[in-house]
Amino acid sequence: MENQKFTKMALLFLYFFYVIAISRGVVPNRIGINYGQLGDNLPSPARSIELLQNMNINRVKLYDADHEILNLLSGTDIDVAITVANDEISGIAMNQRLADQWVYEHILVHYPSTRIRFVLVGHEVFSSISTREDLQIARDLVPAIKRIKNTIKQRGIHNIKIGTPLAMDMMQTTFPPSNGSFKPEIRELMVPLLKYINGSKSFFFVDVYPYISWFDSQVRNQTAINLDFALLRSGNETYADPQSGLVYTNLLDQMLDSVLYAMSKLGYNDVMLAIAETGWPHNGELGANRENAAEYNNNLIRKMSSVPSVGTPARPGVVIPTFIFSLYDENQKYGPTTERHWGLLNPDGSLNYELNITSSV
């Protein structure tokens, strides 16, 4: 009888924390994929959704809110993140009717048969604020987020989180992690964003690329970052933060924790993190090859889909929703060769390298 009583209490205890997790908006630790379409040789949307299902992918992020793709995702068990374009932000911020129209056209006509779970307003909006137009878009970001959220809430929808993905160039310092801080010029923009995210129990989405930090350390004659450390190879190198005393075994954790410390310096200590983009290129510049890409992404999948969740040294055991960049190589992207070789799949749908993506199910 005592064992049965203990079992019931344990179940109630677990359920209690499950309810708390749901109320905070925590989502299962499944790996998602970014589905970009900047290529002239990519499979059709229908074939792409079929490939996602064949790979047992349960979460996908779109860089728009394409009606064809959202229709194809209807009836599947794939959670979807859709995106409001940067050039739509100011109009929505100034006009509730435009926000209502956007929500109707891109969410309500598809929801709930299409499992839209995230709306990302803009893409790396704080990365470029040098022109008057870009600065205005950055200032309009939070008002636009609020208008979209208000429309969704008025429709009785409570399982869609609103946020915006920001790049790591928002950071003034990232090392050591405890010294993490945002650039002074964006702090006045960051505070209202953090206030909204914290109040709505949404996620602070970051685009975080250990490859870029590792590459920069090699070519700029800085203190070179160890490749194993960047690839999440555990046990080969550790770093102890001299201020916090926390021990790091990989570069990704360092970068994520630097964001947590930057937020805490602005008075926000418990905002939840999500990774909107991360990955490793398989061709192009230094360090970009299939072996390294497979190593990083497989280690990432193992880490982020671990049960129980691993989290980071500054926030252990916490689920961090993660989207790998990207589904395909996109041959119409600008920049160095590396930019066109982040894909998990070739245009014919075959894997670029061995990937244990099913471990995230």
Side-chain angles (χ1 to χ4, degrees):
M1 183 67 70
E2 288 187 4
N3 286 339
Q4 290 180 341
K5 183 178 180 181
F6 175 79
T7 301
K8 290 180 179 179
M9 289 179 64
L11 289 172
L12 286 171
F13 182 79
L14 291 173
Y15 178 73
F16 173 74
F17 278 98
Y18 173 78
V19 170
I20 291 176
I22 295 299
S23 70
R24 283 289 296 169
V26 175
V27 293
N29 48 347
R30 298 178 299 184
I31 297 294
I33 302 292
N34 283 277
Y35 175 15
Q37 299 180 79
L38 294 179
D40 59 10
N41 60 348
L42 302 182
S44 68
R47 175 58 176 155
S48 297
I49 302 308
E50 180 183 345
L51 289 168
L52 288 171
Q53 292 177 303
N54 291 343
M55 295 168 69
N56 292 316
I57 298 299
N58 299 114
R59 189 174 290 147
V60 65
K61 181 163 80 71
L62 308 179
Y63 289 91
D64 51 25
D66 184 272
H67 288 291
E68 180 183 4
I69 295 174
L70 291 174
N71 281 329
L72 289 165
L73 286 164
S74 176
T76 71
D77 63 352
I78 300 175
D79 291 346
V80 186
I82 59 176
T83 301
V84 179
N86 286 9
D87 60 10
E88 297 177 289
I89 290 174
S90 291
I92 290 172
M94 292 185 292
N95 191 324
Q96 184 62 49
R97 184 183 61 80
L98 289 180
D100 294 344
Q101 181 179 345
W102 196 97
V103 169
Y104 175 79
E105 292 179 354
H106 299 99
I107 297 178
L108 298 182
V109 298
H110 300 289
Y111 180 92
S113 58
T114 299
R115 295 166 56 95
I116 298 170
R117 294 294 180 264
F118 304 101
V119 176
L120 302 180
V121 181
H123 178 71
E124 299 183 349
V125 171
F126 292 171
S127 292
S128 177
I129 56 172
S130 57
T131 69
R132 180 179 299 178
E133 181 181 2
D134 288 338
L135 181 58
Q136 188 60 53
I137 291 173
R139 288 172 173 164
D140 288 336
L141 176 62
V142 173
I145 289 174
K146 288 180 176 179
R147 288 194 184 278
I148 289 175
K149 178 64 175 180
N150 288 340
T151 302
I152 292 173
K153 187 176 180 180
Q154 287 169 6
R155 294 287 181 164
I157 300 172
H158 301 287
N159 62 347
I160 296 178
K161 296 295 184 184
I162 318 295
T164 187
L166 300 176
M168 287 297 291
D169 61 9
M170 66 184 165
M171 301 296 291
Q172 177 74 12
T173 57
T174 60
F175 185 83
S178 60
N179 199 36
S181 63
F182 296 117
K183 289 179 176 177
E185 60 267 29
I186 67 167
R187 287 175 192 165
E188 65 173 301
L189 301 168
M190 191 65 74
V191 170
L193 176 62
L194 289 172
K195 182 179 180 180
Y196 167 79
I197 293 173
N198 188 58
S200 65
K201 299 179 176 60
S202 188
F203 293 91
F204 189 89
F205 287 88
V206 292
D207 295 345
V208 54
Y209 288 99
Y211 169 76
I212 295 175
S213 295
W214 173 84
F215 179 83
D216 287 346
S217 79
Q218 308 299 312
V219 301
R220 294 183 179 179
N221 295 320
Q222 301 171 343
T223 301
I225 297 172
N226 182 281
L227 180 60
D228 288 347
F229 199 68
L231 291 172
L232 314 184
R233 284 177 180 153
S234 61
N236 291 334
E237 180 174 329
T238 61
Y239 170 77
D241 188 308
Q243 298 178 49
S244 69
L246 296 175
V247 176
Y248 291 86
T249 60
N250 65 79
L251 180 57
L252 178 63
D253 281 348
Q254 280 192 350
M255 297 172 76
L256 293 174
D257 277 359
S258 73
V259 177
L260 294 177
Y261 278 104
M263 291 192 290
S264 70
K265 289 180 175 66
L266 296 180
Y268 294 91
N269 298 308
D270 61 350
V271 173
M272 297 181 293
L273 276 184
I275 298 177
E277 292 181 9
T278 191
W280 197 282
H282 62 80
N283 192 16
E285 281 62 56
L286 180 68
N289 56 59
R290 283 181 166 80
E291 292 76 18
N292 288 344
E295 180 83 15
Y296 178 82
N297 283 324
N298 279 306
N299 289 338
L300 175 77
I301 292 166
R302 191 176 304 112
K303 171 180 171 62
M304 293 304 181
S305 60
S306 176
V307 178
S309 300
V310 177
T312 69
R315 199 175 282 179
V318 174
V319 174
I320 304 174
T322 299
F323 293 88
I324 295 176
F325 185 82
S326 61
L327 183 59
Y328 298 118
D329 287 345
E330 297 175 69
N331 65 4
Q332 293 181 320
K333 295 191 72 175
Y334 296 105
T337 303
T338 301
E339 281 297 308
R340 293 174 287 282
H341 292 92
W342 293 82
L344 303 180
L345 302 182
N346 293 300
D348 63 2
S350 62
L351 284 167
N352 266 314
Y353 44 83
E354 186 176 347
L355 191 70
N356 188 23
I357 195 71
T358 56
S359 69
S360 68
V361 177

